[in-house]
Amino acid sequence: MLVLWSSLVGLILYLELVYHFSGFGWSGFQFFYVLALAVAWAGAETLLIGVLRGRVKKICFQFTLWVPVVWTGAQLVYLRIFRQPMLWEAIFRGGGDALTNYWREALDGIVGSLPFLALLILPVPVYLLVMHKLKWKLPNFAMLQVMRTAVVITAGIAGAVVVLEVGRSLQAEYYEDYTEFYDPMSVAGTMGVLPTFQRDTLGHLQDMVGGLFAGGRSESHSGSGTGTSAASKREGGTAGENAVLTGEGTVSGGDGLSGEGSLPGETGTQPGEDSDTGQEAQPHPQQFELDYELLHSLADNKEQAWLADYIQGLAPVESNAYTGIFSGYNLIYLTAEGFSSYAIREDLTPTLYRLANTGFVFDNYYVPLWQTSTSDGEYINCTGLIPDGQFSMRKSGDNNMAYTLPRFFAQEGVESLAYHDNTLSYYDRHVTHPNLGYLFKGSSLGKLSGEEWEAKIFPMEHPDAWPASDLEMMQGTIPEYIGRERFHVYYMTVSGHMNYNFKGNAMSGKNREAVSGLDMSENARAYIACNMELDKALEYLLEELEKAGQLEKTVICLSADHYPYGMTQDQYEELAGKSLSEGKDLYRNTLILWNAGMEAEPVHVEKVCGSMDIIPTLLNLFGFDYDSRMYAGRDIFSQEEGLVIFNDRSFVTDACINPKGKPAIWLKDEDGVDLVPDEEKEDYLAAWKQEVKNRYQFSAYILREDYYSDVQQAVIQEP
């Protein structure tokens, strides 16, 4: 018994160490929890082998040796490709898509991981060889051995419980990552493959049986649970609120555009003026009038009750100088695959350079990486909500998505169109995007039948190229809407997709000659080359808008879904030409928000902002009557302090960068003084940590509970 059990414990710990070192280096490993689990897990395997007999015993023994190796190897490759652990949801929801669309990336991931995969495999044949040479026999348990093994299993489980309880009493981050706000990446990095597998499996079992297992989603969270924002709790207002917007040598404090302060386009109305009277507009709360008694009465569980309390207690954002400046305009909104600021070069991507440096210029914009990378990046861009676990967009497919951009444009009689130069069915976009309010088309069918879905395909010259051409997507779709009086169009691009090389990436190969003179690695040159196709698409778009007389009345908004994680840290830093190891530099990016009328006098926005802020910002700029409390993000031009939240619940505000497991980095004013005094820093961090938890929980419950349906019932309609 002892030899078999200790061997299995040793195998588990060995696999954990190889995985951790390959993916995370040596730091941050919580050894005690995985040790306790290994003791219990190996005990259970030993017990099973001990009570079985004959051929079944031998099969079970081989199973216990090889399955952990295969699983850990798969996790290692998946982590290398997607920068996230592989969870059951990814296997069940995305497995088919991944096999058909990401086989190149999977192959590269396997090849790149071969040294570590060899290390994972090594101990099993060695162990079997030693077992054969020394003539070890698998044990046959009598009742005494069964009881002893049961004690070992119990001790392991008890040890795991103790580690978690200690974490709870110490308010350790690993406890919160594992229980209250399950963060698979942090659990995998600090606790290991086996704890991630256990937590993920328990979570799915809880979903199936209604929360009977421990380790599931927390029923409640510490803190007030009210909707009062962290910024409003700070005496004196928002840190840095007097230097939010800067123009050409002008500090405007959020009250105007740079230079003369004239509006973009043709209206000539000044920022902050009422378009009808020309008088200074008075700020008003951006919210619906709700019947809170009805909203609370509709709550039939604790999550819905929490949401009702949260929304009622949350102070709405107020209108501001930029409210309605694009009222009546067209909007073309793009989520750009794997886009980064470092793809922008005046010589090679001149249109991106033009759009990024005229119009609104956001100097502190971040795009976090979420668990389902592109799909979750799209979800936050299109909803203003933080993704809840994996495949949030797919989960929203049956929900009432009442507060997306198409719903507001529809109120003004504008039809919203969406396009993607990949298969219609990938990530179930043929379901999710119509549910957002778009008439959605793809460049090919995917798994769908032509008889039913052929009308949802737009023409492209090379629809099967990988990745496909964003320019060809524009050429095939612009004729559908350019002649309309008004339009809102959404694009999900694909030309910037990994892998970044000249052999397997069609767009990199297409533009290879243009980057041949760059003194960079193939990886960096190929990345710029494939983004040149996006630049060509935008150039063509602007030309067609101008020909149709629509350019002056059209707003272009573009954000990434995630940074190009297909690059290693070293490769990305080579592209950037600098270190990206400070704070959250890896996630810094560019938000394009542009109108031709602003080219002469761009507006620099210093306020910290992120992708969850796009939807409320656009709703404000286009003058829609919306409720700012329906989103995790906030209007960037409001007086709310900036906040960007990341997948591991680290965050950035206008006054500090709070990375995971490291001391906060305090930002300074122009005189070199911390924006938050020393005596206030502890309370400041505590308030913002609670704010982050609240917005995470708000987003999760909105999705899980289909809560916009309740809100719509509670909206008091004007007579």
XYZ file of all heavy atoms in Angstrom, residues 5 23 41 80 186 220 225 231 241 244 258 273 324 344 390 406 501 546 583 640 649 661 693:
177
model
N 0.920 4.134 -2.874
C 0.386 5.456 -2.505
C 1.455 6.531 -2.624
O 1.217 7.593 -3.207
C -0.164 5.392 -1.084
C -0.538 6.755 -0.543
C -1.667 7.455 -0.816
C 0.251 7.567 0.332
N -1.645 8.661 -0.160
C -0.474 8.748 0.553
C 1.485 7.393 0.961
C 0.010 9.762 1.379
C 1.970 8.401 1.779
C 1.236 9.572 1.983
N 4.856 27.154 -16.904
C 3.889 28.216 -17.162
C 4.056 29.465 -16.341
O 3.685 30.564 -16.776
N -6.108 12.374 -3.105
C -6.335 11.844 -4.452
C -5.597 10.519 -4.656
O -6.171 9.546 -5.154
C -5.875 12.882 -5.469
C -6.294 12.596 -6.879
C -5.604 11.876 -7.800
C -7.493 13.019 -7.529
N -6.283 11.822 -8.989
C -7.462 12.514 -8.855
C -8.590 13.777 -7.136
C -8.476 12.749 -9.770
C -9.606 14.008 -8.050
C -9.549 13.499 -9.337
N -0.050 27.551 -22.892
C 0.926 28.177 -23.785
C 0.233 28.927 -24.925
O 0.672 30.004 -25.328
C 1.863 27.108 -24.361
C 2.967 27.677 -25.256
C 3.837 26.567 -25.830
N 4.913 27.101 -26.640
C 6.109 27.428 -26.175
N 6.390 27.257 -24.885
N 7.037 27.918 -26.975
N -5.507 32.320 -11.625
C -4.804 32.475 -10.352
C -4.726 31.158 -9.593
O -3.708 30.845 -8.982
C -5.505 33.537 -9.489
O -5.392 34.809 -10.081
N -22.567 35.045 -0.502
C -22.486 36.468 -0.200
C -21.035 36.877 -0.152
O -20.143 36.053 -0.064
C -23.157 36.769 1.148
O -22.492 36.083 2.185
N -22.033 45.882 0.107
C -22.992 45.391 -0.861
C -23.890 46.469 -1.419
O -24.821 46.198 -2.147
N -15.280 56.051 -5.483
C -14.893 57.436 -5.736
C -15.717 58.400 -4.911
O -15.215 59.401 -4.390
C -15.031 57.753 -7.221
N -9.262 64.718 -10.955
C -10.428 65.098 -11.744
C -10.238 66.442 -12.447
O -10.946 66.759 -13.382
C -11.681 65.150 -10.874
C -11.692 66.270 -9.848
C -12.962 66.277 -9.038
O -13.714 65.305 -9.109
O -13.197 67.257 -8.331
N -8.505 65.719 -16.348
C -9.007 64.556 -17.065
C -8.761 64.675 -18.564
O -8.262 63.775 -19.204
C -10.513 64.366 -16.788
C -11.082 63.269 -17.659
C -10.729 64.032 -15.319
N -10.558 70.422 -27.036
C -9.352 71.225 -27.113
C -9.526 72.382 -28.085
O -10.446 72.422 -28.899
C -8.190 70.347 -27.565
O -8.471 69.810 -28.840
N -23.623 72.947 -24.294
C -24.790 73.730 -24.638
C -25.953 72.830 -25.024
O -25.767 71.762 -25.592
C -24.496 74.662 -25.818
C -23.586 75.826 -25.478
C -23.416 76.762 -26.654
O -23.985 76.464 -27.721
O -22.712 77.775 -26.519
N -24.393 63.875 -25.990
C -25.135 64.151 -27.210
C -24.370 64.834 -28.323
O -24.980 65.245 -29.318
N 0.602 50.162 -34.682
C 0.392 51.463 -35.316
C 1.734 52.087 -35.679
O 2.571 52.355 -34.807
C -0.398 52.403 -34.385
C -1.764 51.779 -34.033
C -0.579 53.766 -35.032
C -2.542 52.571 -33.007
N -16.208 31.597 -18.358
C -15.941 31.449 -19.782
C -17.224 31.517 -20.606
O -18.308 31.217 -20.116
C -15.244 30.111 -20.047
C -13.834 30.044 -19.465
C -13.096 28.802 -19.917
O -13.666 27.725 -19.955
N -11.830 28.949 -20.252
N -27.535 48.324 -30.387
C -28.613 48.214 -31.377
C -29.990 48.538 -30.823
O -30.852 49.051 -31.549
C -28.531 46.753 -31.828
C -27.121 46.355 -31.573
C -26.731 47.083 -30.330
N 3.510 34.553 -38.218
C 4.626 34.077 -39.030
C 4.233 34.233 -40.491
O 3.101 34.603 -40.811
C 4.976 32.622 -38.694
C 3.776 31.703 -38.825
O 3.135 31.638 -39.872
N 3.453 30.981 -37.751
N -16.479 58.790 -47.571
C -16.318 60.126 -48.164
C -17.015 60.211 -49.521
O -17.687 61.204 -49.828
C -14.836 60.459 -48.299
C -14.579 61.907 -48.687
C -13.147 62.325 -48.465
O -12.267 61.440 -48.408
O -12.906 63.537 -48.347
N 3.660 47.274 -13.607
C 2.226 47.384 -13.396
C 1.430 46.557 -14.382
O 1.593 45.352 -14.510
N -16.694 60.573 -12.740
C -16.328 59.382 -11.976
C -14.833 59.111 -12.128
O -14.267 59.272 -13.210
C -17.103 58.168 -12.494
C -18.588 58.226 -12.268
C -19.014 57.468 -11.034
O -18.396 56.436 -10.721
O -19.975 57.921 -10.395
N -8.967 40.424 -10.793
C -9.484 41.448 -9.898
C -8.415 42.428 -9.423
O -8.649 43.181 -8.488
C -10.230 40.835 -8.701
C -11.482 40.097 -9.099
C -12.165 39.453 -7.911
N -11.255 38.748 -7.042
C -10.691 37.588 -7.316
N -10.931 36.988 -8.452
N -9.878 37.019 -6.448
N -1.085 40.407 -5.909
C -0.027 39.856 -5.076
C 1.200 40.727 -4.931
O 2.243 40.263 -4.466
N -15.157 44.147 -6.445
C -15.982 42.976 -6.144
C -17.441 43.228 -6.519
O -18.119 42.358 -7.082
C -15.874 42.633 -4.658
C -14.533 42.077 -4.229
C -14.540 41.741 -2.743
C -13.200 41.192 -2.284
N -13.200 40.858 -0.840
